[in-house]
Amino acid sequence: VMTVDGSGLDETAFSQIHEMTDAALDEALERFVEMREAEGAAISADVSSKLEAMRENLEKLKARAPLVAEDYRARLRARMEELLDGVPLDETRMAMEAAIFAERSCVDEELTRIESHIAQMRVFLRQNGAVGRKLDFLTQEMNREANTIGSKANDITITNIALEMKSDIEKIREQVQNLE
């Protein structure tokens, strides 16, 4: 075996250098894996805490969402009574308008899907192996649902909660991009 300066190494010296290099490389790889595992655990804990915050916001949305249609019906009734100034209201028309609004502003499906995505994320976070792409896909889906909730809201409380959720989703997305 020739060295850079042209001198030779005997087999024993070459073998010793090879063993030392292999040992150093093995140790470096072992520490690298340990560091990546520790980083993954820290990211997982951070994502889990954000998922818990999202779950809490989902509960707030579930409590608030049914009240939106009731508030609209009351505001609509008050406004119509004011405009009609004593003329009797068409109750059928009022009920129909309230029903149309309730259907347009209903976010039940979106809430169910976000809840499902949170559960799926928790399962992926407990798995060994490459889950980064799966988690990234779920963040995209959750972001889409949060956008839909915000656009359907017609209620400042729901809009603000949807914005909080979008913020948490973005933070999760940034963390997930550090995972394989």
Side-chain angles (χ1 to χ4, degrees):
V1 176
M2 298 298 284
T3 61
V4 174
D5 66 1
S7 63
L9 287 178
D10 64 27
E11 286 297 318
T12 305
F14 178 76
S15 180
Q16 289 173 342
I17 291 171
H18 189 268
E19 286 176 27
M20 289 171 42
T21 305
D22 275 355
L25 182 59
D26 286 345
E27 185 177 339
L29 288 173
E30 200 172 292
R31 288 191 178 157
F32 175 74
V33 168
E34 288 171 0
M35 185 222 31
R36 292 287 291 175
E37 287 174 348
E39 181 183 23
I43 289 171
S44 179
D46 184 56
V47 169
S48 292
S49 73
K50 286 173 180 49
L51 290 174
E52 182 56 27
M54 287 181 60
R55 190 200 57 75
E56 290 170 7
N57 277 328
L58 276 176
E59 293 306 315
K60 291 176 189 175
L61 287 173
K62 286 179 181 179
R64 178 67 188 153
L67 304 177
V68 173
E70 292 173 24
D71 289 350
Y72 175 78
R73 179 189 294 259
R75 285 192 320 268
L76 179 62
R77 176 175 291 286
R79 182 75 173 133
M80 293 305 294
E81 286 174 352
E82 177 185 323
L83 290 172
L84 293 175
D85 194 28
V87 175
L89 288 173
D90 180 350
E91 291 299 326
T92 303
R93 179 69 184 187
M94 285 288 298
M96 187 174 71
E97 290 296 327
I100 290 170
F101 176 84
E103 182 61 31
R104 253 192 359 248
S105 64
C106 181
V107 294
D108 292 349
E109 290 176 28
E110 291 79 9
L111 296 175
T112 299
R113 282 193 289 272
I114 288 179
E115 199 166 42
S116 172
H117 296 326
I118 288 172
Q120 287 175 312
M121 266 198 172
R122 286 183 171 150
V123 167
F124 289 145
L125 286 171
R126 288 189 297 268
Q127 290 179 350
N128 290 326
V131 296
R133 288 187 182 174
K134 294 174 185 177
L135 295 173
D136 188 50
F137 174 76
L138 286 173
T139 59
Q140 291 174 31
E141 292 298 306
M142 288 192 300
N143 195 47
R144 193 175 75 198
E145 301 302 340
N147 281 335
T148 303
I149 290 168
S151 68
K152 284 182 163 184
N154 287 316
D155 180 78
I156 192 67
T157 302
I158 289 179
T159 299
N160 288 337
I161 294 170
L163 288 173
E164 281 180 43
M165 290 179 71
K166 284 180 58 70
S167 175
D168 284 335
I169 292 165
E170 179 59 23
K171 291 173 187 171
I172 290 170
R173 188 189 65 78
E174 289 171 4
Q175 287 289 36
V176 161
Q177 290 180 342
N178 292 314
L179 297 175
E180 291 181 359

